[in-house]
């Protein structure tokens, strides 16, 4: 039955390969393809199974199941030829064994088998669905077989096996005269005797190797891209009948049939694809032909005679012509500003240019340096809304927009009485404290004492006449930009001709003008031994100061005609941290007592009008004064590495200066100047060399000198 099945499989495989050969020949005639190229795509397979012997001993394994046999192992190297044909190289090694115990003969053998060969494998791939998981196959191969056969004739004690008719094995033959003393023994299945060496049938030293062909059927189970499992069975047809040492030429009852020996191998195996992923061929670089590209695209959207594909500057305006070969406006001096916007076409190579193409001068760099450090507050115009520590500088753009929307500034005229450079007597200045329009304008480190603001020249005619009647010399008239909140800007313009037409025509009327006798109430903040910037008292309204003959600077806030308003302002000033604030009254250019000014004065109150000759003690609340260390100022976003260095040192407080656009960064908060100075030295050792100490009063940044002046008063 097995022989018939194998013959049918051989016929089927031969038919398939013949059809494939015919189809290939016909295709070759029609299409004339290139010769088939062998590509090495190895697959390694390792299997284990059972080897069953079919031969003379055991009557072709009659009466036993095919799997009742010995273990075998196989190793295969498979390489695909086409999608459905593989070429395989394999080795198979194991043992076959058989035992025969009958009335006529008792034979046994065990043989070590080693075989290797070549197979052609057909997998039906072109006939089945591509998405299948199980793939059947048929193998046909030729092989070389080596065998080493032995038989079990003696036990471990060297006693020959004598098979008796009662089924026992004894150490003496059943027909021996001493059979009565025979002892029963048992086989040890050690197969110690070489069959060829026994030469029981006179075959001599025959070769223990032969050729064979085998056919195999089975199926592969695909479990992944590289791994598949295989189950199969193969019949190996040897060209020898001597594997078990028995042939049809054997003597007596040892004789067998004339068929050659066969071996059945049923196995399970795993296959791994060793093929490496195919490397993608690198595309050869193509030569770039710009002329060919230009031919393909001639669109010139901005009309500058440079096609869009080669135009580095799209949408070049008409007034920017001519352009260079890249379509960009010409920049002869290479200062980064195109010629059509360049107001200086010969900017030196070593200079940096502004947006208009004009080179920065030494004065420009000095101005930028002063703005960067700005320790005197010259470029600072802090807004009360921005005075909280930790304010977010990212809101600066929105803040500037709100300032522009609220900007309703006007131009006003002021009469200049004197300045810190043009000295005016203290008496003359004290006289003007009775004038509600008396003001002080700071411009950097300079000070102007003025009276104003007037809308026109005619409005200030009477005031000039009153000053001349009091023998106070008018130094000139200036025009100042006044903000909507009453603050005076630093934009000051001298007025050359400030005499009105009426005044020129009728000087007598001017000379007859007389000052009013209105009482003016002010709140004196304190008398200080050094001049403090008005920025220190930014939270107070209408702050003015006068330097007396005693070299003390007396600061006043507000100017009221109503004593109740003055009293309320004094209370607000005192409760906001100005401990030494008190009301003073002026009339007709002189200071008068509060009683004369209409106040009810307690008997124990010192209502003297004598001016203080010593500085005010504890003029401000000591707890409102602090010192900080400024570590940097940046126009744009602070560099990340600098910010990281600041954060490693301590808490950093940013403050945006609206006037300069700089964001200034401060570290530390100290009650004592010496502590702040020591901390500054520590920061210098850590690499922040440009840091310096500043003061803080009521959340407002002032200079360290001004903070010390407030403390030491």
């Amino acid at each position: 039955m097995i022989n018939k099945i194998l013959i049918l499989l051989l016929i089927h495989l031969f038919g398939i390969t013949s059809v494939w050969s015919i189809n290939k020949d016909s295709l070759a005639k029609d299409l004339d393809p290139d010769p088939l190229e062998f590509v090495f795509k190895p697959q390694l397979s390792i299997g284990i199974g059972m080897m069953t012997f079919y031969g003379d001993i055991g009557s072709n394994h009659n009466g036993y199941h095919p799997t009742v046999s010995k273990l075998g192992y196989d190793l295969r190297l498979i390489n695909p030829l086409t999608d459905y044909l593989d070429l395989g190289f394999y080795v198979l090694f194991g043992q076959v064994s058989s035992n025969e115990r009958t009335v006529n003969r008792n034979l046994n053998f065990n043989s070590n088998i080693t075989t290797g060969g070549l197979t052609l494998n057909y997998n039906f791939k072109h006939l089945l669905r591509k998405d299948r998981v199980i793939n059947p196959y048929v193998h046909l191969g030729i092989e070389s077989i080596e065998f080493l056969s032995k038989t079990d004739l003696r036990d471990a004690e060297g006693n020959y096996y004598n098979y008796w008719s009662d089924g026992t094995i004894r150490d003496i033959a059943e027909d021996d005269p001493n059979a009565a003393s025979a002892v029963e023994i048992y086989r040890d299945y050690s197969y110690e005797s070489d069959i060829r060496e026994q030469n029981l049938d006179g075959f001599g030293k025959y070769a223990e190797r032969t050729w064979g062909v085998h056919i195999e059927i089975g199926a592969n189970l695909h479990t992944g891209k590289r791994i598949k499992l295989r189950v199969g069975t193969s019949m190996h047809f040897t060209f020898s009948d001597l594997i078990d040492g028995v042939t049809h030429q054997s003597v007596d009852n040892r004789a067998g049939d004339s068929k050659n020996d066969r071996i059945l191998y049923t196995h399970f195996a795993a296959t791994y694809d060793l093929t490496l992923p195919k490397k993608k061929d690198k595309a050869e670089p193509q030569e770039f032909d710009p002329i060919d590209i230009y031919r393909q695209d001639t669109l010139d959207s901005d009309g500058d005679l440079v096609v869009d594909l080669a135009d580095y500057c799209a949408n070049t305006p008409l007034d920017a012509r001519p352009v260079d070969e890249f379509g960009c406006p010409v920049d002869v001096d290479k200062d980064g500003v195109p010629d059509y916007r360049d107001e200086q076409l010969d900017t030196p190579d070593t200079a940096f240019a502004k947006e208009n193409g004009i080179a920065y001068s030494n004065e420009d760099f000095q101005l930028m340096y002063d703005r960067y450090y700005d320790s005197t507050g010259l470029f600072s115009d802090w807004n009360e809304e921005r005075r909280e520590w930790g304010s977010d500088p990212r809101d600066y753009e929105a803040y500037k927009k709100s300032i522009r929307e609220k900007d309703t500034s006007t131009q006003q005229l002021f009469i200049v009485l004197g300045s810190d450079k043009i000295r005016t007597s203290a008496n003359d200045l004290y006289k003007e404290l009775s004038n509600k329009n008396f003001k002080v304008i700071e411009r950097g480190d300079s000070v102007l004492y003025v009276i104003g603001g007037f809308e026109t020249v005619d409005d200030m005619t009477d005031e000039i006449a009153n000053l001349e009647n009091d023998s106070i010399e008018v130094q000139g008239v200036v025009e100042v930009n006044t903000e909507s909140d009453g603050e005076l800007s630093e934009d000051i313009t001298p007025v050359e001709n400030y005499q009105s037409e009426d005044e020129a025509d009728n000087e007598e009327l001017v000379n007859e003008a007389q000052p009013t006798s209105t009482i003016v109430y002010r709140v004196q903040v304190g008398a200080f031994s050094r001049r403090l910037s008005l920025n220190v008292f930014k939270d107070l309204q209408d702050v003015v100061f006068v330097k007396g003959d005693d070299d003390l600077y007396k600061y006043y806030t507000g100017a009221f005609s109503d004593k109740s308003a003055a009293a309320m302002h004094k209370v607000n000033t005192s409760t906001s941290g100005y401990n030494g604030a008190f009301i003073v009254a002026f009339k007709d250019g002189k200071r008068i007592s509060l009683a004369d000014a209409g106040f009810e004065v307690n008997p124990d109150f010192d209502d003297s009008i004598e001016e203080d000759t010593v500085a005010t003690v504890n003029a401000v609340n000591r707890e409102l004064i602090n010192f900080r260390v400024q570590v940097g100022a940046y126009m744009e976003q602070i560099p990340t590495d600098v910010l990281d260095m600041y954060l490693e040192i301590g808490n950093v407080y940013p403050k945006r200066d609206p006037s300069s656009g700089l964001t200034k960064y401060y570290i530390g908060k100290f009650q004592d100047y010496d502590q702040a100075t020591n901390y500054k030295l520590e920061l210098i050792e850590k690499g922040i060399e440009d840091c310096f100490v500043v003061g803080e009063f009521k959340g407002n940044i002032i200079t360290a000198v001004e903070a010390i002046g407030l403390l030491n008063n």
Side-chain angles (χ1 to χ4, degrees):
M1 181 64 181
I2 293 177
N3 291 339
K4 293 180 180 180
I5 294 174
L6 294 176
I7 291 172
L8 289 175
L9 290 174
L10 285 172
I11 294 173
H12 181 68
L13 179 61
F14 177 76
I16 292 174
T17 54
S18 299
V19 171
W20 174 78
S21 177
I22 293 172
N23 290 338
K24 186 179 75 171
D25 293 341
S26 62
L27 289 174
K29 293 178 181 179
D30 296 337
L31 302 178
D32 192 20
D34 295 335
L36 183 64
E37 180 181 358
F38 178 79
V39 180
F40 188 56
K41 298 179 179 179
Q43 300 174 10
L44 182 64
S45 173
I46 300 176
I48 183 173
M50 305 301 294
M51 299 181 68
T52 306
F53 178 75
Y54 289 88
D56 297 293
I57 296 180
S59 301
N60 293 314
H61 207 67
N62 187 25
Y64 295 93
H65 192 275
T67 59
V68 179
S69 50
K70 296 281 189 176
L71 282 176
Y73 309 91
D74 71 287
L75 178 65
R76 304 185 186 187
L77 187 64
I78 305 168
N79 193 84
L81 296 178
T82 66
D83 286 344
Y84 50 87
L85 281 179
D86 301 332
L87 182 65
F89 303 89
Y90 77 96
V91 292
L92 171 65
F93 48 93
Q95 294 182 349
V96 293
S97 179
S98 185
N99 293 274
E100 182 179 340
R101 179 82 183 272
T102 65
V103 176
N104 296 324
R105 66 180 185 179
N106 294 277
L107 301 175
N108 62 75
F109 90 101
N110 186 83
S111 182
N112 292 324
I113 302 296
T114 301
T115 178
L118 178 70
T119 63
L120 187 64
N121 314 320
Y122 174 67
N123 57 25
F124 303 94
K125 186 173 182 179
H126 63 302
L127 302 177
L128 303 175
R129 294 187 311 175
K130 293 183 179 180
D131 58 348
R132 66 193 181 281
V133 177
I134 299 177
N135 191 52
Y137 69 88
V138 176
H139 289 185
L140 178 64
I142 185 171
E143 59 190 351
S144 172
I145 303 171
E146 292 186 359
F147 56 91
L148 178 60
S149 303
K150 294 186 178 183
T151 184
D152 184 14
L153 300 179
R154 299 187 301 271
D155 64 7
E157 303 298 330
N159 299 312
Y160 280 92
Y161 301 130
N162 294 280
Y163 297 91
W164 284 33
S165 58
D166 60 359
T168 61
I169 303 175
R170 299 178 182 270
D171 59 349
I172 299 175
E174 188 174 3
D175 57 355
D176 189 279
N178 299 318
S181 60
V183 177
E184 186 175 358
I185 60 177
Y186 301 93
R187 282 190 59 192
D188 58 5
Y189 295 91
S190 64
Y191 302 101
E192 76 288 339
S193 302
D194 189 293
I195 293 178
R196 188 179 67 170
E197 296 298 327
Q198 295 293 321
N199 198 20
L200 299 176
D201 298 315
F203 296 148
K205 299 288 186 178
Y206 56 83
E208 292 182 311
R209 68 181 63 87
T210 184
W211 292 95
V213 295
H214 85 274
I215 185 169
E216 179 179 327
I217 59 174
N220 287 305
L221 174 63
H222 295 270
T223 59
K225 292 183 178 181
R226 288 180 173 268
I227 298 176
K228 56 185 176 182
L229 304 179
R230 183 180 73 248
V231 177
T233 182
S234 59
M235 180 61 77
H236 298 257
F237 298 91
T238 71
F239 294 171
S240 173
D241 194 20
L242 292 171
I243 293 179
D244 56 1
V246 176
T247 72
H248 67 285
Q249 297 177 350
S250 297
V251 298
D252 299 332
N253 61 353
R254 286 176 51 83
D257 56 30
S258 59
K259 297 178 181 179
N260 290 334
D261 297 330
R262 291 154 294 157
I263 300 173
L264 180 67
Y265 178 55
T266 303
H267 67 279
F268 170 83
T271 303
Y272 183 77
D273 191 347
L274 300 176
T275 306
L276 296 176
K278 185 177 180 181
K279 295 183 179 179
K280 295 183 179 180
D281 296 334
K282 294 184 178 179
E284 295 183 0
Q286 299 180 354
E287 294 185 2
F288 176 73
D289 185 3
I291 303 301
D292 184 59
I293 299 297
Y294 290 153
R295 293 194 193 101
Q296 299 177 28
D297 189 352
T298 58
L299 182 63
D300 181 14
S301 301
D302 54 7
D304 60 358
L305 303 182
V306 179
V307 295
D308 291 352
L309 186 64
D311 197 336
Y312 288 8
C313 301
N315 302 321
T316 305
L318 294 176
D319 57 351
R321 315 298 168 82
V323 298
D324 58 18
E325 65 271 22
F326 301 109
C328 296
V330 175
D331 181 14
V332 175
D333 53 6
K334 306 298 181 184
D335 60 356
V337 180
D339 290 353
Y340 78 98
R341 290 196 292 108
D342 199 335
E343 299 179 13
Q344 182 181 357
L345 295 178
D346 57 348
T347 304
D349 294 339
T350 58
F352 294 95
K354 304 177 185 178
E355 293 182 357
N356 58 3
I358 298 178
Y360 280 101
S361 64
N362 292 335
E363 290 76 12
D364 294 327
F365 286 115
Q366 183 64 44
L367 179 60
M368 288 188 289
Y369 180 84
D370 293 341
R371 282 185 177 275
Y372 176 80
Y373 283 97
D374 194 17
S375 61
T376 64
L378 173 63
F379 301 98
S380 298
D381 186 16
W382 300 88
N383 187 283
E384 188 65 26
E385 300 176 19
R386 306 291 296 178
R387 292 186 178 281
E388 293 297 326
W389 280 104
S391 60
D392 190 349
R394 291 174 295 182
D395 294 334
Y396 177 56
E397 293 300 327
Y399 171 70
K400 287 199 303 184
K401 181 179 179 181
S402 66
I403 292 299
R404 288 195 298 268
E405 292 175 351
K406 295 188 296 183
D407 186 13
T408 56
S409 59
T410 58
Q411 297 288 335
Q412 292 184 333
L413 299 174
F414 292 86
I415 303 170
V416 180
L417 305 180
S419 68
D420 57 339
K421 296 181 180 179
I422 303 175
R423 294 301 302 270
T424 303
S425 68
N427 289 333
D428 289 344
L429 294 178
Y430 275 119
K431 288 180 181 180
E432 297 309 319
L433 288 175
S434 62
N435 191 329
K436 288 182 61 176
N437 295 325
F438 177 69
K439 298 181 182 296
V440 175
I441 299 177
E442 281 188 335
R443 188 178 185 184
D445 292 332
S446 300
V447 177
L448 292 179
Y449 299 103
V450 299
I451 293 178
F454 303 100
E455 299 294 334
T456 64
V457 173
D458 293 337
D459 294 339
M460 63 182 182
T461 301
D462 291 343
E463 191 66 49
I464 293 177
N466 289 334
L467 293 172
E468 292 177 348
N469 288 336
D470 290 338
S471 300
I472 298 176
E473 183 180 358
V474 175
Q475 303 297 331
V477 175
V478 294
E479 188 177 41
V480 182
N481 188 41
T482 305
E483 306 295 341
S484 58
D485 57 359
E487 293 289 334
L488 301 179
S489 72
E490 296 182 3
D491 187 10
I492 300 175
T493 305
V495 177
E496 298 295 337
N497 184 12
Y498 54 86
Q499 187 177 30
S500 68
E501 296 180 0
D502 294 339
E503 181 182 359
D505 295 339
N506 193 356
E507 293 186 2
E508 293 182 359
L509 293 177
V510 175
N511 293 332
E512 292 177 358
Q514 297 295 327
T516 62
S517 298
T518 304
I519 299 176
V520 175
Y521 302 93
R522 296 181 184 270
V523 176
Q524 181 170 325
V525 178
F528 299 90
S529 57
R530 65 179 67 190
R531 183 169 73 86
L532 304 176
S533 170
L534 294 181
N535 183 56
V536 175
F537 308 103
K538 197 75 173 181
D539 59 320
L540 300 178
Q541 67 181 46
D542 296 330
V543 178
V544 297
F545 65 88
V546 174
K547 182 180 180 181
D549 294 333
D550 52 6
D551 290 333
L552 291 179
Y553 293 86
K554 297 179 176 63
Y555 284 78
Y556 305 89
T557 173
F560 305 94
S561 300
D562 180 53
K563 63 180 181 180
S564 298
M568 180 61 67
H569 185 59
K570 185 269 178 186
V571 172
N572 293 336
T573 303
S574 298
T575 56
S576 62
Y578 299 94
N579 301 330
F582 59 92
I583 299 176
V584 292
F586 298 92
K587 182 180 180 181
D588 296 333
K590 298 179 181 179
R591 179 177 172 181
I592 62 176
S593 66
L594 295 182
D596 294 338
F599 283 97
E600 294 182 4
V601 181
N602 293 328
D604 56 349
F605 177 75
D606 183 8
D607 195 18
S608 173
I609 61 174
E610 294 293 330
E611 295 292 340
D612 296 331
T613 58
V614 294
T616 306
V617 179
N618 295 327
V620 297
N621 188 345
R622 173 71 175 77
E623 296 180 355
L624 299 177
I625 303 172
N626 298 296
F627 294 92
R628 296 184 182 271
V629 180
Q630 180 173 326
V631 292
Y634 293 89
M635 181 68 70
E636 302 296 338
Q637 185 176 2
I638 183 173
T640 304
D641 55 341
V642 177
L643 182 59
D644 290 341
M645 179 175 61
Y646 290 169
L647 294 176
E648 288 180 2
I649 296 174
N651 293 329
V652 180
Y653 300 94
K655 287 286 288 184
R656 172 68 75 169
D657 180 0
S659 62
S660 65
L662 292 173
T663 299
K664 300 180 181 180
Y665 295 85
Y666 306 91
I667 298 179
K669 184 176 182 180
F670 307 93
Q671 292 286 332
D672 183 76
Y673 174 76
D674 292 337
Q675 294 178 352
T677 301
N678 293 333
Y679 187 62
K680 180 196 73 172
L681 297 177
E682 294 178 7
L683 295 179
I684 293 176
E685 292 180 356
K686 294 180 180 180
I688 307 178
E689 298 180 354
D690 296 334
C691 61
F692 55 91
V693 178
V694 297
E696 178 190 7
F697 176 55
K698 300 183 67 175
N700 180 35
I701 294 298
I702 60 178
T703 66
V705 174
E706 291 171 335
I708 294 173
L710 292 175
L711 286 175
N712 295 341
N713 215 43

